[in-house]
Amino acid sequence: MRRVWELLTLLLLFGAFAGESPAQQSTQPWWIGGEFGEGQLLLSSDQSPGSRNSSFALGFVGGHSLGSRARIGMEVKGWLIQASDLYNPTVGESVSDVMGIADLFPVARVPLFLRAGAGGAFYANSRPAGFGGGGWSWAGGGGAVRRA
C-alpha cells in the first residue's frame, strides 16, 4: 500500500509542474474538477469501541475563484464499504459526504493548493439488521491544478 501512495505522490508532483497555476491561466471565475483518494469511517457505539474501515473514494468538486490565490466551493464524494447488489437488496454499505471547501494557493505561479473543508456525512447500510446515520465530516489535504 505504501508503494501505491508513493507512486500517486510522484504522479501528482510531475503533473503539478506540467500544469498551470491559477495566476498563469486566464482567470475564469468558475471551476470544476474530479478527485480520488481514500475515505475512512469509524463506527463506534456505547457497546463497542469501534472499528475503522477505509476504501477508495471518488468525488466531484466545483466552485468560484477568489482571485488567483484562493477559491471556495462544494465537494460531493462517496465510497463503498460493501458493494450493493441489484439481485440481493440485503447487501450494501456506503458513505457519502457533502461539504463546503476552501483552497489556498500558497506560492504564486505554482499550481499546488492546500484544501480544508467541513460538512455532513451520511452512512447507509442495507443489511437486514443494518442501520444508517449521519454526522459531521471534515477534509484536509492538497492537490494540483491541471487544465483539461
Side-chain angles (χ1 to χ4, degrees):
M1 186 66 169
R2 184 173 182 203
R3 285 269 188 230
V4 172
W5 287 114
E6 290 172 354
L7 179 62
L8 288 174
T9 302
L10 285 174
L11 289 173
L12 177 68
L13 289 175
F14 285 130
F17 293 114
E20 296 177 325
S21 71
Q24 294 168 318
Q25 298 174 8
S26 60
T27 305
Q28 299 290 330
W30 298 99
W31 57 275
I32 60 171
E35 58 190 18
F36 64 91
E38 177 185 11
Q40 292 188 0
L41 172 70
L42 175 63
L43 292 173
S44 62
S45 71
D46 58 353
Q47 298 175 355
S48 69
S51 62
R52 187 173 301 275
N53 298 318
S54 62
S55 180
F56 174 77
L58 181 65
F60 301 97
V61 63
H64 193 270
S65 296
L66 303 174
S68 63
R69 302 280 301 269
R71 59 190 188 179
I72 58 172
M74 183 176 180
E75 177 181 77
V76 178
K77 69 176 180 239
W79 62 94
L80 296 175
I81 297 169
Q82 180 186 31
S84 299
D85 186 350
L86 292 174
Y87 301 105
N88 184 1
T90 63
V91 299
E93 196 172 3
S94 64
V95 177
S96 302
D97 283 328
V98 177
M99 65 179 67
I101 57 152
D103 292 346
L104 173 66
F105 293 84
V107 180
R109 302 187 192 276
V110 176
L112 298 175
F113 63 87
L114 300 173
R115 172 171 292 167
F122 309 98
Y123 171 71
N125 186 337
S126 300
R127 295 183 195 130
F131 56 90
W136 290 100
S137 65
W138 62 272
V145 174
R146 290 275 308 189
R147 287 186 88 153

